[in-house]
Amino acid sequence: SQQGEEDPQALSIQEGENATMNCSYKTSINNLQWYRQNSGRGLVHLILIRSNEREKHSGRLRVTLDTSKKSSSLLITASRAADTASYFCATGDSGYSTLTFGKGTMLLVSP
Amino acid sequence: NAGVTQTPKFRVLKTGQSMTLLCAQDMNHEYMYWYRQDPGMGLRLIHYSVGEGTTAKGEVPDGYNVSRLKKQNFLLGLESAAPSQTSVYFCASSPRASLSSVNTEAFFGQGTRLTVV
């Protein structure tokens, strides 16, 4: 079964607004990652946060991790139309050998 | 900068036919994965490999076989295709992770869209 569940399933915002996506997971993890998928394309890695980290930034991305609640959030600030894509969280297992993905959040940013 | 290359990109099969999807990576990665992506289901792991000559089952392995004879290649086989295997298949690779370096970023191919009729 899938480890992560993203929320919301779909999000529609205007350019310049912030977009927040959440991910909940079930079991202990070593790291949590966020990926982006443009329509019809492969997934692209955005950011990785380790289980001993609480917050991480990369450009307009901000990721938080709360291991006590088994949840993470991805914030995209000042969204652009080019940010339109699906976003997936993925968790790394204790053996570091596999990544388990959630079902994704579809983000639509309108000009 | 080829990265992860999947062939073919599209294929239509008749029920019962067989085929092999090829994944090749040029980053010298130890780990390789095959996922399938279906609408509303996200990505589900079919099989994976942690090194040349080794394979392991993922979440949805039934109806598929894999081989990793060379480090750079990971083959996914469908011996007798079924309509339920209609999906988009993604291959991915990642470096070996260690306790000191939790480096499990995965690099994905562009996908193979398979339709079984």
Side-chain angles (χ1 to χ4, degrees):
Chain A
S1 61
Q2 280 161 299
Q3 167 78 300
E5 288 287 339
E6 290 90 343
D7 170 61
Q9 290 184 337
L11 180 61
S12 182
I13 60 174
Q14 299 289 317
E15 265 192 329
E17 296 181 337
N18 295 341
T20 299
M21 289 159 269
N22 303 297
C23 170
S24 59
Y25 58 92
K26 299 173 184 174
T27 62
S28 296
I29 61 172
N30 284 290
N31 66 83
L32 186 143
Q33 304 177 35
W34 286 90
Y35 287 79
R36 164 194 170 126
Q37 182 181 35
N38 288 86
S39 179
R41 310 283 287 180
L43 281 73
V44 175
H45 180 263
L46 293 176
I47 193 166
L48 179 154
I49 186 166
R50 299 175 184 176
S51 58
N52 61 353
E53 297 176 313
R54 291 297 168 258
E55 187 171 314
K56 201 163 185 180
H57 296 257
S58 177
R60 294 185 295 112
L61 305 180
R62 172 180 170 249
V63 170
T64 62
L65 180 64
D66 186 335
T67 53
S68 67
K69 295 181 179 179
K70 292 186 169 59
S71 67
S72 172
S73 67
L74 171 67
L75 168 67
I76 304 174
T77 59
S79 296
R80 306 165 181 168
D83 294 326
T84 294
S86 291
Y87 293 82
F88 295 86
C89 68
T91 52
D93 71 359
S94 60
Y96 300 104
S97 57
T98 64
L99 282 176
T100 303
F101 286 82
K103 296 180 181 180
T105 292
M106 292 181 59
L107 173 65
L108 173 63
V109 182
S110 301
Chain B
N1 291 340
V4 178
T5 303
Q6 291 182 233
T7 52
K9 290 183 171 53
F10 303 93
R11 184 74 185 267
V12 178
L13 282 181
K14 294 182 179 179
T15 298
Q17 286 185 320
S18 64
M19 78 164 293
T20 299
L21 283 68
L22 171 65
C23 177
Q25 53 97 2
D26 61 1
M27 296 171 283
N28 200 35
H29 286 168
E30 291 290 336
Y31 297 170
M32 295 188 75
Y33 316 85
W34 276 107
Y35 289 90
R36 61 177 288 173
Q37 184 176 32
D38 302 293
M41 298 295 292
L43 278 82
R44 293 181 291 169
L45 183 64
I46 305 171
H47 286 279
Y48 65 100
S49 168
V50 298
E52 182 179 321
T54 71
T55 62
K57 294 180 179 180
E59 181 187 352
V60 288
D62 293 342
Y64 305 95
N65 56 76
V66 288
S67 64
R68 182 103 182 265
L69 298 179
K70 294 183 178 180
K71 186 177 183 179
Q72 63 267 33
N73 295 336
F74 195 29
L75 305 179
L76 177 70
L78 286 74
E79 289 187 349
S80 180
S84 61
Q85 293 178 304
T86 293
S87 187
V88 181
Y89 291 86
F90 287 99
C91 176
S93 71
S94 67
R96 180 191 300 276
S98 66
L99 290 177
S100 62
S101 173
V102 185
N103 182 23
T104 55
E105 171 187 349
F107 295 79
F108 280 79
Q110 292 303 299
T112 295
R113 186 173 295 276
L114 175 66
T115 302
V116 183
V117 297

